[in-house]
Amino acid sequence: MLFFRSEEHIDRWCMSWRMERGAVLSLETGWRLARAWYGEDRRDPEWRRRTVDETEELFASLGLSSDFWRLR
Amino acid sequence: MDPESAFEKQVRAQVYDLTMRDGVPPLAARVADALQVTPREVLGAFASLGERRMLVVQADSGEVLMANPFSAVPTPFLVTTNGLKTYGNCIWDALGIAAMLHRDADIDTSCGDCGAAMQVRVRGDRAEGKGLMHFAIPARLWWKDIVFN
């Protein structure tokens, strides 16, 4: 996941890599996603990865519910 | 897949403890020293944790490449926090380092297209800066090529 100055720079990068445009997040939403994803303490032996359902719920709670964010 | 073993949990906890202190994932020898086991045993646990997608392991050496959000190698996502300099694997992970450490942080990066310098500042519960995050690969495919992603 890269950071870009603007939508135009994203489009140029996609063209040069011959890739379709993916999902674009504002810094604010990206920060909320980072806090939700990485806020837990992975030093805790009982920490575990989220299940597919839990991950999709987390994405949806941040408004990320398009096909791009589906896991199956 | 079997549940994570007690030893794997110990290794994972030790990897994150050292990474969060030092800013870089440790080598197997350092984890082995801390846990009083052999490096070979630790490398075995790294491989299992890699299969569980709890770590990303280097193909040739078996050492940790990513203890997400931290990178073992320099990347374009430098995070400075409380005097510690560390690298995120991507912009999401750079923000994730601040989130995991629960600390203010300065992220120095560059535009993925033109290379212009860009900064993000995390202060308290806010991330300040100008720019957009682009996720190129759909979520269900992230682990097909986690290094590219």
Side-chain angles (χ1 to χ4, degrees):
Chain A
M1 297 77 176
L2 298 175
F3 202 43
F4 292 89
R5 292 168 68 190
S6 68
E7 300 267 0
E8 288 167 8
H9 284 260
I10 293 172
D11 289 338
R12 260 198 341 227
W13 181 87
C14 291
M15 276 210 299
S16 61
W17 281 80
R18 294 191 171 88
M19 292 190 70
E20 285 189 29
R21 193 181 166 92
V24 178
L25 266 57
S26 67
L27 180 59
E28 184 188 348
T29 301
W31 170 232
R32 288 170 59 210
L33 177 60
R35 291 175 77 189
W37 195 264
Y38 286 119
E40 295 173 348
D41 190 348
R42 297 189 182 195
R43 294 169 298 186
D44 179 353
E46 298 314 310
W47 175 83
R48 60 170 178 79
R49 296 184 73 231
R50 287 178 190 82
T51 64
V52 168
D53 286 342
E54 288 168 344
T55 304
E56 285 188 335
E57 275 174 33
L58 186 153
F59 290 158
S61 74
L62 298 169
L64 307 175
S65 51
S66 68
D67 272 354
F68 186 93
W69 299 98
R70 300 245 164 80
L71 293 174
R72 59 200 142 190
Chain B
M1 187 175 278
D2 293 335
E4 192 183 15
S5 72
F7 180 60
E8 288 164 7
K9 288 181 181 183
Q10 261 191 310
V11 169
R12 187 233 317 146
Q14 192 65 44
V15 165
Y16 273 96
D17 187 48
L18 291 168
T19 303
M20 290 168 73
R21 272 196 271 154
D22 298 346
V24 63
L27 294 172
R30 180 132 191 259
V31 176
D33 195 41
L35 297 178
Q36 296 292 295
V37 296
T38 66
R40 177 185 286 264
E41 288 172 287
V42 172
L43 286 167
F46 282 177
S48 300
L49 291 165
E51 286 171 17
R52 296 179 192 289
R53 300 179 175 178
M54 289 177 163
L55 297 173
V56 178
V57 175
Q58 300 183 45
D60 51 352
S61 65
E63 298 283 0
V64 176
L65 177 64
M66 302 179 195
N68 299 76
F70 297 86
S71 171
V73 297
T75 71
F77 306 95
L78 173 64
V79 182
T80 305
T81 175
N82 204 24
L84 189 72
K85 288 193 183 294
T86 181
Y87 292 96
N89 299 296
C90 62
I91 186 63
W92 178 15
D93 280 4
L95 292 165
I97 289 172
M100 184 174 276
L101 296 175
H102 301 282
R103 282 195 212 140
D104 290 353
D106 294 342
I107 298 168
D108 288 290
T109 184
S110 55
C111 175
D113 172 46
C114 71
M118 299 178 75
Q119 287 85 35
V120 176
R121 307 282 172 249
V122 174
R123 297 290 181 266
D125 62 358
R126 291 178 52 82
E128 303 162 356
K130 285 185 180 168
L132 294 168
M133 296 167 62
H134 180 244
F135 290 65
I137 309 292
R140 65 183 171 280
L141 302 177
W142 284 347
W143 280 88
K144 276 190 111 171
D145 189 349
I146 192 67
V147 174
F148 173 76
N149 202 31

